[in-house]
Amino acid sequence: QVQLVESGGGLVQPGGSLRLSCVASGITFRRYDVGWYRQAPGKQRELVASIGSGGGTTFADSVKGRFTISRDNAKNTVYLQMNSLKPEDTAVYYCKAVWGAVYWGQGTQVTVSS
């Protein structure tokens, strides 16, 4: 059974940091491209950052310079380090793994508020 489990979300003040983790099981993780997406209330789900099986990364313009993405294939985990958080970063964050098949996690809530 394939599972992607996100964790690390929570409530943080503007300017703060969080690190999200996405742990995969049931797949040969190193072969998969992995993306972090987010969905705010009333908005479409959007790509925040992605990391390919070879380590190449992409970022949405809105998070460039603030977020980084990394992976540890030995731990079947992808991380999203989020710094200088803004209220507009508030959303449910999801990870997606793609290699032919597509798998989604259940999401983790990030709330940026004072």
Side-chain angles (χ1 to χ4, degrees):
Q1 182 182 1
V2 178
Q3 277 193 313
L4 299 180
V5 179
E6 301 97 333
S7 62
L11 173 64
V12 64
Q13 291 187 340
S17 298
L18 285 173
R19 188 177 79 157
L20 305 184
S21 299
C22 171
V23 180
S25 60
I27 57 175
T28 307
F29 181 71
R30 67 181 184 279
R31 295 175 176 171
Y32 282 72
D33 299 330
V34 179
W36 281 99
Y37 290 72
R38 66 186 180 189
Q39 188 166 21
K43 294 189 176 181
Q44 289 189 331
R45 193 172 295 189
E46 63 174 354
L47 177 65
V48 175
S50 67
I51 185 164
S53 57
T57 59
T58 63
F59 296 91
D61 287 344
S62 59
V63 307
K64 281 181 181 176
R66 300 189 297 124
F67 291 11
T68 58
I69 187 170
S70 60
R71 66 190 299 159
D72 184 340
N73 289 334
K75 296 182 178 179
N76 285 2
T77 302
V78 168
Y79 303 99
L80 183 69
Q81 178 67 44
M82 306 187 296
N83 300 325
S84 303
L85 283 161
K86 305 175 181 180
E88 51 263 43
D89 294 318
T90 296
V92 179
Y93 284 70
Y94 301 88
C95 66
K96 182 177 84 168
V98 180
W99 186 58
V102 179
Y103 302 102
W104 287 92
Q106 83 291 346
T108 185
Q109 176 71 47
V110 172
T111 302
V112 185
S113 175
S114 55

